[in-house]
Amino acid sequence: MAKWAYDLSEALLAESLPDRWAHSQRVYAQALTLVPALGVNAELLAAAAIAHDVGYATDAVDTGQHMIDGARYLRDVVGADPRLCGIVAFHTSSPWEAAELGLSDALREFGPAEPELVDAITYCDLTSSPTGQLVDPGRRLVEVLDRYGPDHVVFRAVSAARPELLSRVERVQQRRAEAQQESVS
Ligand SMILES: [Fe+2]
């Protein structure tokens, strides 16, 4: 599934949105670091990681909320696994953005969210810069707020979401540390 998602995302993003593709590749690499912590769900997360931003691709843009657009594209155009669509739909600040845009019902089509996997994709997304560098999650959120500015829906959504997003990152770091501990003991 990860290989399929990789090829699909590359075809949608690599040429037209190279920075977005570089970011997606870093998010994918971060997902691979969570293999010991996620066990059977590791491949699903890797597939969602590489595909999480396909909603920015020209072919996928519809509502303008890229998480919903990506999930719809994956569901309706390429018939992806519903769990993969769910992770893409709910990644990072999606519920807050959907609420700002009156799209909460559209998002619900992909629920219920799976908290462990939503935590994991958020961790991967927030530790990857817009051009694919590793980055501190707190800094990354500041960068997003600076990029959009206070009048933008993303600014309002990310401001409201910030405490929960940082809690997700902490939970994943904790789980990762526990899995590392288990593998050495
Ligand atoms: Fe992303």
Side-chain angles (χ1 to χ4, degrees):
M1 187 203 278
K3 166 91 173 87
W4 171 84
Y6 195 100
D7 292 346
L8 173 77
S9 307
E10 185 172 29
L12 286 167
L13 298 173
E15 231 172 82
S16 53
L17 298 168
D19 283 352
R20 197 60 75 180
W21 176 236
H23 164 74
S24 300
Q25 286 175 292
R26 174 61 71 181
V27 175
Y28 176 75
Q30 286 296 82
L32 297 184
T33 70
L34 298 180
V35 169
L38 285 176
V40 292
N41 284 326
E43 181 161 9
L44 177 62
L45 179 73
I50 197 68
H52 79 290
D53 274 350
V54 296
Y56 284 111
T58 316
D59 285 356
V61 174
D62 178 19
T63 66
Q65 205 274 25
H66 79 275
M67 300 87 160
I68 291 173
D69 290 348
R72 282 186 173 167
Y73 183 89
L74 291 165
R75 180 190 65 189
D76 300 338
V77 179
V78 296
D81 181 321
R83 293 181 70 204
L84 186 142
C85 299
I87 301 166
V88 170
F90 284 93
H91 83 261
T92 316
S93 55
S94 181
W96 291 268
E97 279 181 43
E100 284 277 346
L101 294 165
L103 290 168
S104 296
D105 285 346
L107 182 59
R108 255 191 291 278
E109 290 171 28
F110 298 96
E114 297 187 71
E116 190 192 26
L117 292 167
V118 171
D119 281 4
I121 190 85
T122 301
Y123 167 83
C124 298
D125 197 13
L126 293 183
T127 51
S128 305
S129 83
T131 52
Q133 315 301 312
L134 269 181
V135 67
D136 171 77
R139 276 227 195 119
R140 166 96 155 95
L141 290 174
V142 169
E143 178 276 318
V144 172
L145 296 175
D146 284 348
R147 180 153 38 109
Y148 287 96
D151 295 332
H152 198 282
V153 56
V154 171
F155 182 100
R156 292 195 297 272
V158 169
S159 299
R162 179 153 54 175
E164 166 59 14
L165 299 181
L166 293 174
S167 298
R168 290 179 187 175
V169 169
E170 258 175 49
R171 287 195 288 270
V172 173
Q173 284 168 333
Q174 180 81 33
R175 251 180 248 137
R176 197 165 76 156
E178 284 164 8
Q180 264 161 4
Q181 202 77 42
E182 281 163 26
S183 73
V184 291
S185 60

